[in-house]
Amino acid sequence: MFKSKLLLLAACCIILSSCSQDRPASKPIASNASSNQPPEANSVDLPDQSGTEANDSSLNGNSGSAPTENVQPQEASTEPPEIPQHKYHINNVYRVVPNEDGIEKKVVLLTFDDGPKEKEMLEGLLDTLDKHEAKAIFFVNGYRVKSNPDLLKLIYDRGQIIGNHSWDHIDLKKESADSARKQVEDVQQIVEETVGERPRFFRPPFGSGNETLHSIVEENDMIYMTWSNGSLDWDAKFKNKPDGVIQNVMDQLHPGSNILMHELPWTEEALDELLTKIETEGYGFVDPRTISAPPEN
Ligand SMILES: [Zn+2]
């Protein structure tokens, strides 16, 4: 008799404790579908939306704090991940700008195009990014992902962000709408198959696009960008010239610099010094996961 009372008491305690816990992720957030904006745009307006982007941010999935007890069996995996809030967007000249006043303007976005190519070079870039606690977008080509799925996983596992740079690295402006769509969507698919998550950012090869491409990218819930600060590391003049690459970026440095670099050996060689110089000028590195669609788009 006493034992059964104890059991009842214990059961009440469990129920009470699970009710009293804050569970921010339990907010119904997926339902503001009245606009046709991508979910990123909607989430800008929600101060407490850390659960919304679970797919986008499962990068963080294994570093999240685990405040909940084991009361709920496997729902515990939906614990709120540590997602940076959306603070920035890409403006019409492809600079990174704050969504509102009071957010640091003096930032740069680091991007590396045309990979994933080669393990050692990539690891060099990743190590340097880690050293500077910087995140970057790696805009990948589908045909390279197909040859190097392990390298794509490496980028992802090291906490960096993957962007879509088309399948074949061709001039999409010259393609039919169907062909351009395939170039974009096949990359979404292979990246998802490889790392379980679709890119949120798109950059057309050669910065070359048109209205049709913009629409395709938007339909795929991606943010379109070219760049605003070209390192010229792709220019034959700067081949094997890390100092020249550094100088090019520093000469063009401006708040919100969207810096275009490539997976190239001389860029890897330049990166540590380049990031140090950028920091010395008082700039921070934007975490791409804090970039949303423009707030009033
Ligand atoms: Zn490219």
Short mmCIF file of all heavy atoms in Angstrom, two decimals, residues 198-250:
data_model
loop_
_atom_site.label_atom_id
_atom_site.label_comp_id
_atom_site.label_asym_id
_atom_site.label_seq_id
_atom_site.Cartn_x
_atom_site.Cartn_y
_atom_site.Cartn_z
N ARG A 198 20.45 20.43 -47.37
CA ARG A 198 20.55 21.13 -48.66
C ARG A 198 21.19 22.50 -48.48
O ARG A 198 20.94 23.17 -47.48
CB ARG A 198 19.15 21.31 -49.26
CG ARG A 198 18.49 20.02 -49.65
CD ARG A 198 17.00 20.19 -49.88
NE ARG A 198 16.67 20.56 -51.25
CZ ARG A 198 16.58 19.69 -52.26
NH1 ARG A 198 16.79 18.41 -52.04
NH2 ARG A 198 16.28 20.09 -53.46
N PRO A 199 21.99 22.93 -49.45
CA PRO A 199 22.59 24.27 -49.34
C PRO A 199 21.55 25.38 -49.24
O PRO A 199 20.48 25.29 -49.82
CB PRO A 199 23.39 24.40 -50.64
CG PRO A 199 23.70 23.00 -51.05
CD PRO A 199 22.51 22.20 -50.61
N ARG A 200 21.90 26.42 -48.53
CA ARG A 200 21.04 27.61 -48.42
C ARG A 200 21.58 28.78 -49.25
O ARG A 200 20.98 29.85 -49.28
CB ARG A 200 20.97 28.07 -46.96
CG ARG A 200 20.07 27.22 -46.06
CD ARG A 200 20.11 27.77 -44.64
NE ARG A 200 19.64 29.13 -44.59
CZ ARG A 200 20.34 30.15 -44.07
NH1 ARG A 200 21.54 29.96 -43.58
NH2 ARG A 200 19.84 31.35 -44.06
N PHE A 201 22.74 28.59 -49.84
CA PHE A 201 23.35 29.69 -50.60
C PHE A 201 23.70 29.22 -52.00
O PHE A 201 24.12 28.08 -52.20
CB PHE A 201 24.62 30.17 -49.89
CG PHE A 201 24.38 30.67 -48.49
CD1 PHE A 201 24.68 29.86 -47.40
CD2 PHE A 201 23.81 31.92 -48.27
CE1 PHE A 201 24.42 30.30 -46.11
CE2 PHE A 201 23.57 32.36 -46.98
CZ PHE A 201 23.88 31.56 -45.90
N PHE A 202 23.55 30.14 -52.94
CA PHE A 202 23.88 29.83 -54.33
C PHE A 202 24.74 30.94 -54.92
O PHE A 202 24.47 32.12 -54.72
CB PHE A 202 22.60 29.70 -55.17
CG PHE A 202 22.89 29.42 -56.63
CD1 PHE A 202 23.15 28.12 -57.05
CD2 PHE A 202 22.92 30.45 -57.56
CE1 PHE A 202 23.46 27.86 -58.39
CE2 PHE A 202 23.23 30.20 -58.89
CZ PHE A 202 23.49 28.90 -59.30
N ARG A 203 25.77 30.53 -55.64
CA ARG A 203 26.57 31.51 -56.40
C ARG A 203 26.75 30.95 -57.81
O ARG A 203 27.24 29.83 -57.99
CB ARG A 203 27.93 31.72 -55.75
CG ARG A 203 28.84 32.63 -56.59
CD ARG A 203 30.19 32.85 -55.94
NE ARG A 203 30.12 33.83 -54.88
CZ ARG A 203 30.99 33.89 -53.86
NH1 ARG A 203 31.95 32.99 -53.76
NH2 ARG A 203 30.88 34.83 -52.95
N PRO A 204 26.34 31.71 -58.83
CA PRO A 204 26.49 31.22 -60.19
C PRO A 204 27.95 31.28 -60.63
O PRO A 204 28.68 32.20 -60.27
CB PRO A 204 25.66 32.21 -61.01
CG PRO A 204 25.69 33.48 -60.22
CD PRO A 204 25.78 33.08 -58.77
N PRO A 205 28.38 30.28 -61.41
CA PRO A 205 29.74 30.35 -61.97
C PRO A 205 29.92 31.64 -62.76
O PRO A 205 28.99 32.10 -63.45
CB PRO A 205 29.79 29.14 -62.91
CG PRO A 205 28.77 28.19 -62.38
CD PRO A 205 27.68 29.05 -61.79
N PHE A 206 31.05 32.24 -62.65
CA PHE A 206 31.41 33.50 -63.33
C PHE A 206 30.52 34.65 -62.89
O PHE A 206 30.51 35.71 -63.51
CB PHE A 206 31.35 33.36 -64.86
CG PHE A 206 31.88 32.04 -65.37
CD1 PHE A 206 31.04 31.06 -65.86
CD2 PHE A 206 33.25 31.78 -65.32
CE1 PHE A 206 31.53 29.84 -66.30
CE2 PHE A 206 33.74 30.57 -65.76
CZ PHE A 206 32.89 29.59 -66.25
N GLY A 207 29.75 34.47 -61.86
CA GLY A 207 28.81 35.51 -61.44
C GLY A 207 27.76 35.79 -62.49
O GLY A 207 27.14 36.86 -62.49
N SER A 208 27.51 34.82 -63.37
CA SER A 208 26.68 35.07 -64.53
C SER A 208 25.28 34.46 -64.36
O SER A 208 25.13 33.24 -64.25
CB SER A 208 27.36 34.46 -65.76
OG SER A 208 26.51 34.51 -66.87
N GLY A 209 24.28 35.33 -64.33
CA GLY A 209 22.91 34.84 -64.15
C GLY A 209 21.89 35.73 -64.82
O GLY A 209 22.24 36.74 -65.42
N ASN A 210 20.64 35.34 -64.73
CA ASN A 210 19.54 36.14 -65.28
C ASN A 210 18.30 35.92 -64.41
O ASN A 210 18.36 35.23 -63.40
CB ASN A 210 19.27 35.76 -66.74
CG ASN A 210 19.05 34.25 -66.90
OD1 ASN A 210 18.74 33.56 -65.94
ND2 ASN A 210 19.23 33.76 -68.12
N GLU A 211 17.20 36.52 -64.82
CA GLU A 211 15.97 36.43 -64.02
C GLU A 211 15.54 34.98 -63.79
O GLU A 211 15.11 34.61 -62.70
CB GLU A 211 14.82 37.18 -64.73
CG GLU A 211 14.89 38.69 -64.53
CD GLU A 211 14.94 39.07 -63.05
OE1 GLU A 211 14.07 38.58 -62.29
OE2 GLU A 211 15.86 39.81 -62.65
N THR A 212 15.64 34.19 -64.86
CA THR A 212 15.22 32.79 -64.74
C THR A 212 16.03 32.09 -63.65
O THR A 212 15.47 31.38 -62.80
CB THR A 212 15.47 32.05 -66.09
OG1 THR A 212 14.88 32.82 -67.12
CG2 THR A 212 14.88 30.66 -66.07
N LEU A 213 17.31 32.33 -63.65
CA LEU A 213 18.16 31.68 -62.65
C LEU A 213 17.80 32.17 -61.24
O LEU A 213 17.71 31.37 -60.30
CB LEU A 213 19.63 31.96 -62.95
CG LEU A 213 20.62 31.26 -62.02
CD1 LEU A 213 20.49 29.74 -62.12
CD2 LEU A 213 22.06 31.67 -62.33
N HIS A 214 17.56 33.47 -61.12
CA HIS A 214 17.16 34.00 -59.82
C HIS A 214 15.91 33.28 -59.32
O HIS A 214 15.81 32.93 -58.14
CB HIS A 214 16.90 35.51 -59.91
CG HIS A 214 18.15 36.33 -59.78
ND1 HIS A 214 18.64 36.75 -58.56
CD2 HIS A 214 19.02 36.80 -60.71
CE1 HIS A 214 19.75 37.45 -58.75
NE2 HIS A 214 20.01 37.50 -60.05
N SER A 215 14.94 33.08 -60.23
CA SER A 215 13.69 32.42 -59.81
C SER A 215 13.94 30.98 -59.37
O SER A 215 13.39 30.53 -58.37
CB SER A 215 12.68 32.37 -60.96
OG SER A 215 12.50 33.63 -61.49
N ILE A 216 14.77 30.29 -60.14
CA ILE A 216 15.06 28.89 -59.80
C ILE A 216 15.71 28.80 -58.42
O ILE A 216 15.36 27.96 -57.59
CB ILE A 216 15.98 28.25 -60.87
CG1 ILE A 216 15.24 28.15 -62.21
CG2 ILE A 216 16.50 26.89 -60.42
CD1 ILE A 216 16.13 27.84 -63.40
N VAL A 217 16.62 29.71 -58.18
CA VAL A 217 17.34 29.71 -56.90
C VAL A 217 16.37 30.01 -55.76
O VAL A 217 16.40 29.37 -54.69
CB VAL A 217 18.50 30.73 -56.96
CG1 VAL A 217 19.10 30.96 -55.58
CG2 VAL A 217 19.58 30.24 -57.93
N GLU A 218 15.48 30.97 -56.00
CA GLU A 218 14.50 31.34 -54.98
C GLU A 218 13.54 30.17 -54.70
O GLU A 218 13.21 29.89 -53.55
CB GLU A 218 13.72 32.55 -55.49
CG GLU A 218 13.13 33.40 -54.39
CD GLU A 218 12.59 34.70 -54.95
OE1 GLU A 218 13.39 35.50 -55.50
OE2 GLU A 218 11.37 34.88 -54.90
N GLU A 219 13.11 29.53 -55.77
CA GLU A 219 12.21 28.37 -55.58
C GLU A 219 12.86 27.28 -54.75
O GLU A 219 12.19 26.48 -54.11
CB GLU A 219 11.81 27.76 -56.93
CG GLU A 219 10.78 28.55 -57.70
CD GLU A 219 10.70 28.08 -59.16
OE1 GLU A 219 10.84 26.86 -59.40
OE2 GLU A 219 10.52 28.94 -60.03
N ASN A 220 14.17 27.23 -54.79
CA ASN A 220 14.90 26.24 -54.01
C ASN A 220 15.32 26.77 -52.64
O ASN A 220 16.21 26.20 -52.00
CB ASN A 220 16.12 25.74 -54.79
CG ASN A 220 15.72 24.70 -55.83
OD1 ASN A 220 15.59 23.52 -55.52
ND2 ASN A 220 15.47 25.14 -57.07
N ASP A 221 14.69 27.88 -52.24
CA ASP A 221 14.93 28.44 -50.90
C ASP A 221 16.39 28.78 -50.65
O ASP A 221 16.88 28.61 -49.54
CB ASP A 221 14.45 27.47 -49.80
CG ASP A 221 12.94 27.44 -49.70
OD1 ASP A 221 12.30 28.40 -50.20
OD2 ASP A 221 12.41 26.46 -49.16
N MET A 222 17.04 29.23 -51.70
CA MET A 222 18.44 29.61 -51.51
C MET A 222 18.60 31.12 -51.66
O MET A 222 17.80 31.79 -52.32
CB MET A 222 19.34 28.90 -52.53
CG MET A 222 19.68 27.48 -52.15
SD MET A 222 20.90 26.77 -53.26
CE MET A 222 19.94 26.52 -54.73
N ILE A 223 19.66 31.60 -51.07
CA ILE A 223 20.03 33.01 -51.17
C ILE A 223 21.08 33.13 -52.26
O ILE A 223 22.08 32.42 -52.26
CB ILE A 223 20.56 33.51 -49.81
CG1 ILE A 223 19.41 33.46 -48.79
CG2 ILE A 223 21.16 34.90 -49.93
CD1 ILE A 223 19.87 33.55 -47.35
N TYR A 224 20.82 34.03 -53.19
CA TYR A 224 21.67 34.21 -54.38
C TYR A 224 22.74 35.26 -54.09
O TYR A 224 22.45 36.29 -53.51
CB TYR A 224 20.76 34.68 -55.51
CG TYR A 224 21.38 34.81 -56.89
CD1 TYR A 224 21.04 33.88 -57.88
CD2 TYR A 224 22.22 35.85 -57.22
CE1 TYR A 224 21.55 34.01 -59.17
CE2 TYR A 224 22.75 35.98 -58.50
CZ TYR A 224 22.41 35.05 -59.47
OH TYR A 224 22.91 35.17 -60.74
N MET A 225 23.94 34.99 -54.50
CA MET A 225 24.97 36.02 -54.36
C MET A 225 26.06 35.83 -55.40
O MET A 225 26.29 34.72 -55.89
CB MET A 225 25.61 35.98 -52.97
CG MET A 225 26.47 34.77 -52.69
SD MET A 225 27.24 34.82 -51.04
CE MET A 225 25.88 34.27 -50.02
N THR A 226 26.68 36.92 -55.77
CA THR A 226 27.96 36.80 -56.47
C THR A 226 29.04 37.15 -55.44
O THR A 226 29.27 36.37 -54.52
CB THR A 226 28.02 37.67 -57.74
OG1 THR A 226 27.86 39.04 -57.39
CG2 THR A 226 26.95 37.25 -58.75
N TRP A 227 29.63 38.35 -55.51
CA TRP A 227 30.62 38.74 -54.51
C TRP A 227 30.82 40.25 -54.58
O TRP A 227 30.31 40.90 -55.50
CB TRP A 227 31.95 38.01 -54.74
CG TRP A 227 32.56 38.27 -56.10
CD1 TRP A 227 33.40 39.28 -56.46
CD2 TRP A 227 32.33 37.49 -57.30
NE1 TRP A 227 33.72 39.19 -57.78
CE2 TRP A 227 33.08 38.11 -58.33
CE3 TRP A 227 31.59 36.35 -57.59
CZ2 TRP A 227 33.09 37.61 -59.65
CZ3 TRP A 227 31.60 35.86 -58.89
CH2 TRP A 227 32.34 36.49 -59.90
N SER A 228 31.54 40.80 -53.62
CA SER A 228 31.82 42.24 -53.67
C SER A 228 33.29 42.53 -53.49
O SER A 228 33.72 43.68 -53.50
CB SER A 228 31.01 42.98 -52.59
OG SER A 228 31.49 42.65 -51.30
N ASN A 229 34.09 41.48 -53.28
CA ASN A 229 35.53 41.65 -53.10
C ASN A 229 36.21 40.41 -53.70
O ASN A 229 36.20 39.34 -53.11
CB ASN A 229 35.83 41.78 -51.59
CG ASN A 229 37.31 42.00 -51.29
OD1 ASN A 229 38.18 41.54 -52.03
ND2 ASN A 229 37.60 42.68 -50.19
N GLY A 230 36.72 40.60 -54.90
CA GLY A 230 37.35 39.46 -55.60
C GLY A 230 38.83 39.39 -55.29
O GLY A 230 39.55 40.36 -55.50
N SER A 231 39.29 38.25 -54.80
CA SER A 231 40.71 38.13 -54.44
C SER A 231 41.59 38.03 -55.68
O SER A 231 42.80 38.18 -55.58
CB SER A 231 40.91 36.87 -53.59
OG SER A 231 40.66 35.71 -54.39
N LEU A 232 40.97 37.76 -56.83
CA LEU A 232 41.70 37.53 -58.09
C LEU A 232 42.66 36.35 -58.01
O LEU A 232 43.60 36.24 -58.81
CB LEU A 232 42.46 38.80 -58.53
CG LEU A 232 41.58 40.01 -58.87
CD1 LEU A 232 42.45 41.22 -59.24
CD2 LEU A 232 40.61 39.71 -60.01
N ASP A 233 42.41 35.46 -57.07
CA ASP A 233 43.28 34.28 -56.98
C ASP A 233 43.15 33.38 -58.21
O ASP A 233 44.00 32.53 -58.46
CB ASP A 233 43.02 33.49 -55.68
CG ASP A 233 41.60 32.94 -55.57
OD1 ASP A 233 40.72 33.29 -56.40
OD2 ASP A 233 41.36 32.15 -54.62
N TRP A 234 42.06 33.60 -58.97
CA TRP A 234 41.84 32.79 -60.18
C TRP A 234 42.55 33.39 -61.40
O TRP A 234 42.65 32.75 -62.44
CB TRP A 234 40.34 32.71 -60.49
CG TRP A 234 39.73 34.04 -60.85
CD1 TRP A 234 39.60 34.57 -62.11
CD2 TRP A 234 39.17 35.01 -59.96
NE1 TRP A 234 38.99 35.81 -62.05
CE2 TRP A 234 38.72 36.10 -60.75
CE3 TRP A 234 39.01 35.07 -58.57
CZ2 TRP A 234 38.12 37.24 -60.18
CZ3 TRP A 234 38.42 36.20 -58.02
CH2 TRP A 234 37.98 37.26 -58.82
N ASP A 235 43.03 34.61 -61.26
CA ASP A 235 43.66 35.30 -62.38
C ASP A 235 45.10 34.79 -62.55
O ASP A 235 45.85 34.71 -61.57
CB ASP A 235 43.66 36.81 -62.05
CG ASP A 235 44.09 37.65 -63.23
OD1 ASP A 235 45.09 37.28 -63.90
OD2 ASP A 235 43.47 38.68 -63.47
N ALA A 236 45.47 34.48 -63.79
CA ALA A 236 46.81 33.93 -64.05
C ALA A 236 47.90 34.83 -63.48
O ALA A 236 48.97 34.36 -63.07
CB ALA A 236 46.99 33.75 -65.55
N LYS A 237 47.61 36.13 -63.41
CA LYS A 237 48.61 37.07 -62.88
C LYS A 237 48.99 36.78 -61.44
O LYS A 237 50.08 37.14 -60.98
CB LYS A 237 48.03 38.49 -62.93
CG LYS A 237 48.51 39.30 -64.11
CD LYS A 237 48.27 40.79 -63.91
CE LYS A 237 46.86 41.14 -63.51
NZ LYS A 237 46.48 42.54 -63.73
N PHE A 238 48.05 36.17 -60.71
CA PHE A 238 48.31 35.94 -59.27
C PHE A 238 48.53 34.48 -58.92
O PHE A 238 48.56 34.12 -57.75
CB PHE A 238 47.17 36.55 -58.44
CG PHE A 238 47.09 38.03 -58.62
CD1 PHE A 238 46.15 38.59 -59.47
CD2 PHE A 238 48.01 38.86 -58.00
CE1 PHE A 238 46.11 39.97 -59.67
CE2 PHE A 238 47.97 40.24 -58.19
CZ PHE A 238 47.02 40.79 -59.03
N LYS A 239 48.70 33.69 -59.95
CA LYS A 239 49.00 32.28 -59.71
C LYS A 239 50.30 32.16 -58.92
O LYS A 239 51.31 32.83 -59.26
CB LYS A 239 49.12 31.55 -61.06
CG LYS A 239 49.30 30.07 -60.91
CD LYS A 239 49.33 29.37 -62.25
CE LYS A 239 49.55 27.88 -62.00
NZ LYS A 239 49.66 27.12 -63.24
N ASN A 240 50.30 31.36 -57.87
CA ASN A 240 51.47 31.19 -57.00
C ASN A 240 51.93 32.49 -56.34
O ASN A 240 53.10 32.61 -55.95
CB ASN A 240 52.65 30.58 -57.78
CG ASN A 240 52.33 29.17 -58.21
OD1 ASN A 240 51.74 28.40 -57.44
ND2 ASN A 240 52.69 28.82 -59.44
N LYS A 241 51.01 33.45 -56.21
CA LYS A 241 51.40 34.72 -55.57
C LYS A 241 50.48 35.05 -54.40
O LYS A 241 49.61 35.92 -54.49
CB LYS A 241 51.35 35.85 -56.60
CG LYS A 241 52.35 35.67 -57.73
CD LYS A 241 52.68 37.01 -58.38
CE LYS A 241 53.82 36.83 -59.37
NZ LYS A 241 53.42 36.72 -60.76
N PRO A 242 50.70 34.34 -53.29
CA PRO A 242 49.82 34.59 -52.12
C PRO A 242 49.83 36.06 -51.69
O PRO A 242 48.79 36.58 -51.29
CB PRO A 242 50.39 33.67 -51.03
CG PRO A 242 51.62 33.05 -51.58
CD PRO A 242 51.65 33.26 -53.04
N ASP A 243 50.99 36.71 -51.78
CA ASP A 243 51.04 38.11 -51.35
C ASP A 243 50.13 39.00 -52.21
O ASP A 243 49.50 39.94 -51.72
CB ASP A 243 52.48 38.65 -51.42
CG ASP A 243 53.34 38.01 -50.35
OD1 ASP A 243 52.76 37.41 -49.41
OD2 ASP A 243 54.58 38.10 -50.45
N GLY A 244 50.08 38.67 -53.50
CA GLY A 244 49.22 39.43 -54.40
C GLY A 244 47.75 39.22 -54.06
O GLY A 244 46.95 40.17 -54.09
N VAL A 245 47.41 37.99 -53.72
CA VAL A 245 46.03 37.69 -53.34
C VAL A 245 45.64 38.48 -52.09
O VAL A 245 44.57 39.11 -52.02
CB VAL A 245 45.86 36.17 -53.11
CG1 VAL A 245 44.51 35.85 -52.51
CG2 VAL A 245 46.06 35.41 -54.43
N ILE A 246 46.53 38.48 -51.12
CA ILE A 246 46.27 39.22 -49.88
C ILE A 246 46.07 40.70 -50.19
O ILE A 246 45.13 41.35 -49.74
CB ILE A 246 47.45 39.04 -48.88
CG1 ILE A 246 47.50 37.58 -48.40
CG2 ILE A 246 47.32 40.00 -47.71
CD1 ILE A 246 48.77 37.21 -47.65
N GLN A 247 46.97 41.24 -51.01
CA GLN A 247 46.90 42.66 -51.34
C GLN A 247 45.58 43.01 -52.05
O GLN A 247 44.96 44.03 -51.76
CB GLN A 247 48.10 43.05 -52.22
CG GLN A 247 48.36 44.55 -52.27
CD GLN A 247 48.56 45.15 -50.87
OE1 GLN A 247 49.35 44.63 -50.07
NE2 GLN A 247 47.82 46.20 -50.55
N ASN A 248 45.17 42.14 -52.96
CA ASN A 248 43.91 42.40 -53.69
C ASN A 248 42.73 42.51 -52.74
O ASN A 248 41.90 43.41 -52.88
CB ASN A 248 43.64 41.26 -54.69
CG ASN A 248 44.61 41.28 -55.85
OD1 ASN A 248 45.16 42.33 -56.21
ND2 ASN A 248 44.85 40.12 -56.45
N VAL A 249 42.67 41.59 -51.80
CA VAL A 249 41.54 41.63 -50.85
C VAL A 249 41.63 42.87 -49.97
O VAL A 249 40.63 43.58 -49.77
CB VAL A 249 41.50 40.35 -49.98
CG1 VAL A 249 40.44 40.48 -48.89
CG2 VAL A 249 41.23 39.12 -50.84
N MET A 250 42.83 43.15 -49.47
CA MET A 250 42.96 44.29 -48.56
C MET A 250 42.68 45.61 -49.27
O MET A 250 42.10 46.51 -48.69
CB MET A 250 44.37 44.31 -47.92
CG MET A 250 44.68 43.11 -47.03
SD MET A 250 43.41 42.67 -45.82
CE MET A 250 43.53 44.05 -44.66
#
